Structures are given as C-alpha cells and as structure tokens.
Amino acid sequence: MIHARGVAEVTDADFATEVLAERGRHVLVEFTADWCGPCRQLAPVLSAVAAERADRLKVVQIDADSNPEAVTRYGVLSMPTMFVFRDGEPVRQIVGARAKRRLLQELDEALVTA
C-alpha cells in the first residue's frame, strides 16, 4: 500500500473502532491500492492535510485489495476514493486525486455542512 506519512492504516478488522466509533471529529478515509498511480500522487497531499487539519480531522488509509469488506460496504469502484465520516456515517464522497488546495476546500465544506 502507498503510505502517506502521518496517516494511520486501518483494516476491515479495526474499521469500526478506528472510523465508525470516532466521535468529536470527522474521519477522512482514503481507499487506496499499490497499483494506483493517482493514489501515489495523493499521498503527500494526504500527509499535509492530516497535519494541517489534525484538530478537526482524523485521516486514515485502507488498502482496497486486502480489505474487501469495507470496499463492498461503501461501494468503492475506483481508486482513490475518499469518504468523510461523521459520528460513524459517511457524509461526503470524493473520487479521484486532488490538488491540496482543492481537497482542503472540499473538506472544509464537508466539515462545515456535516
């Protein structure tokens, strides 16, 4: 899996604990895979977002190839796919790599409206 620095990895086994049980701040989950070129481009962006929004946003990654349960549950069809969760529920879906500025804009909208 392409790992973004400062971003935790979750699995099917701990998804409920690490994502769904989180209260008090939103969770950004990136579904990623080793073979995904755009995921590699997104890794430094996710690292920066995790650092800049740490007070309001927990950022995690999940390897889509080895965690089919979460992939199926959330209907992930392409990589990278990101979901913003609030109190255990997905409130925003973002498909495809983004420049940092654009991703921050979309996340800030989700954090305000969600």
Side-chain angles (χ1 to χ4, degrees):
M1 182 177 89
I2 300 142
H3 191 76
R5 202 168 343 139
V7 175
E9 182 179 348
V10 297
T11 65
D12 281 342
D14 63 5
F15 194 89
T17 306
E18 294 296 321
V19 177
L20 304 181
E22 180 74 29
R23 297 295 182 259
R25 64 181 171 158
H26 292 74
V27 182
L28 174 66
V29 179
E30 181 212 11
F31 287 82
T32 187
D34 283 334
W35 48 263
C36 171
C39 298
R40 278 191 281 283
Q41 295 171 332
L42 190 60
V45 172
L46 281 183
S47 294
V49 167
E52 289 179 26
R53 296 290 190 273
D55 56 330
R56 298 169 50 201
L57 185 69
K58 176 179 179 178
V59 181
V60 299
Q61 293 177 292
I62 186 166
D63 184 349
D65 289 334
S66 55
N67 295 284
E69 205 174 288
V71 168
T72 302
R73 181 174 184 180
Y74 296 103
V76 175
L77 300 175
S78 61
M79 304 305 146
T81 293
M82 294 169 277
F83 284 92
V84 178
F85 285 82
R86 178 172 163 227
D87 296 332
E89 295 296 323
V91 295
R92 183 68 154 289
Q93 181 179 3
I94 302 168
V95 178
R98 301 281 192 277
K100 180 182 158 193
R101 192 181 59 145
R102 183 168 169 216
L103 181 58
L104 284 173
Q105 283 176 332
E106 291 182 61
L107 290 173
D108 286 343
E109 288 172 15
L111 297 179
V112 170
T113 59

